[in-house]
Amino acid sequence: GFEVDVAADASTALQRVKEHAPEAILLDLMLPDLSGTEVARQLKSSTKTAQIPIIMLTARGDEVDRVVGFELGADDYIVKPFSVREVVLRVRAVLRRGAPEDPAQKQRDTLGPLKLDFEAHRCFVDGEEIELTALEFRLLATFLERAGRVQTREQLLRDVWEMAGDLQTRTVDTHVKRLREKLKGGRDLIETVRGLGYRMADPAGE
């Protein structure tokens, strides 16, 4: 049920993504000209392609490889061998994350100087648009939804990255640091709760 465009190498893939941005990218890490990790880095560093979800495909299933993938901004990670059914389910899950919310279950979208537009997948601080990757947007949306409540690193790994909560990684801290830097005037909304994790402050005390 998907329209699929196939590229046999990284350079062709990058060119096609520039010409026509897909809704999601399945990215093999073993490519003939560039590594898949370099392709992911280039896509996530460009404001035009940073929002596109990336699902990495690899034969390497070690924890460190998965962590590197998520550090680069991958939205999911599938280890070979895998079934076509698994890939289809993972693609659908990634596309659902970026789909507009049901109005009946609309998430909170403003807090202090921060405003999220869930349908357009856009973030604003004091009226200025801030470019976020798909994963950064999901992390910020999770904080916003749970404003005032402490979120442990384990909770965030499970709910945002869908990784095991007991995984030893600095992924959460790295992404929170990047998110704060991008939020500029809204950076203080994300508070560090020493020894526990992070909490989004609620200026209105709601």
Side-chain angles (χ1 to χ4, degrees):
F2 299 106
E3 275 188 39
V4 180
D5 190 6
V6 180
D9 54 60
S11 56
T12 303
L14 289 168
Q15 183 59 38
R16 289 186 184 171
V17 170
K18 289 179 183 177
E19 293 170 355
H20 180 70
E23 292 182 68
I25 294 172
L26 281 170
L27 178 61
D28 199 323
L29 296 190
M30 302 297 289
L31 299 170
D33 48 353
L34 282 178
S35 68
T37 53
E38 175 58 21
V39 174
R41 189 196 66 76
Q42 290 189 31
L43 290 170
K44 291 301 183 180
S45 63
S46 169
T47 55
K48 293 182 179 179
T49 55
Q51 309 290 345
I52 304 173
I54 294 176
I55 302 174
M56 288 185 170
L57 306 176
T58 179
R60 299 183 308 201
D62 293 340
E63 266 186 17
V64 65
D65 296 315
R66 295 178 65 219
V67 169
V68 168
F70 284 117
E71 291 282 8
L72 287 168
D75 293 79
D76 206 345
Y77 195 99
I78 307 177
V79 179
K80 301 174 184 177
F82 48 75
S83 68
V84 174
R85 177 173 171 76
E86 179 185 4
V87 175
V88 170
L89 290 173
R90 297 286 190 99
V91 170
R92 285 178 178 161
V94 164
L95 293 177
R96 274 200 306 271
R97 292 173 194 163
E101 294 290 322
D102 182 344
Q105 299 179 341
K106 187 177 180 181
Q107 290 177 281
R108 179 178 185 173
D109 60 4
T110 58
L111 184 67
L114 174 69
K115 178 174 178 60
L116 294 185
D117 183 338
F118 289 99
E119 291 191 8
H121 220 263
R122 300 169 74 185
C123 171
F124 301 87
V125 176
D126 289 323
E128 177 187 354
E129 185 167 3
I130 307 298
E131 293 286 348
L132 300 179
T133 67
L135 199 146
E136 288 167 346
F137 189 93
R138 193 157 73 246
L139 176 60
L140 184 57
T142 300
F143 278 133
L144 185 60
E145 179 186 358
R146 303 170 186 179
R149 289 182 280 164
V150 175
Q151 301 302 303
T152 66
R153 292 170 179 82
E154 292 75 16
Q155 282 177 302
L156 293 171
L157 276 174
R158 285 194 302 267
D159 298 344
V160 179
W161 280 265
E162 296 182 357
M163 297 170 67
D166 58 357
L167 188 64
Q168 296 300 309
T169 172
R170 299 289 294 177
T171 293
V172 173
D173 300 311
T174 300
H175 277 79
V176 168
K177 180 182 178 182
R178 289 179 187 165
L179 189 55
R180 280 173 169 159
E181 290 171 353
K182 289 188 176 183
L183 292 179
K184 300 177 182 177
R187 60 177 297 138
D188 291 338
L189 286 173
I190 302 177
E191 302 175 333
T192 299
V193 181
R194 197 174 298 279
L196 290 175
Y198 298 96
R199 173 181 58 215
M200 176 158 275
D202 191 339
E206 297 174 5

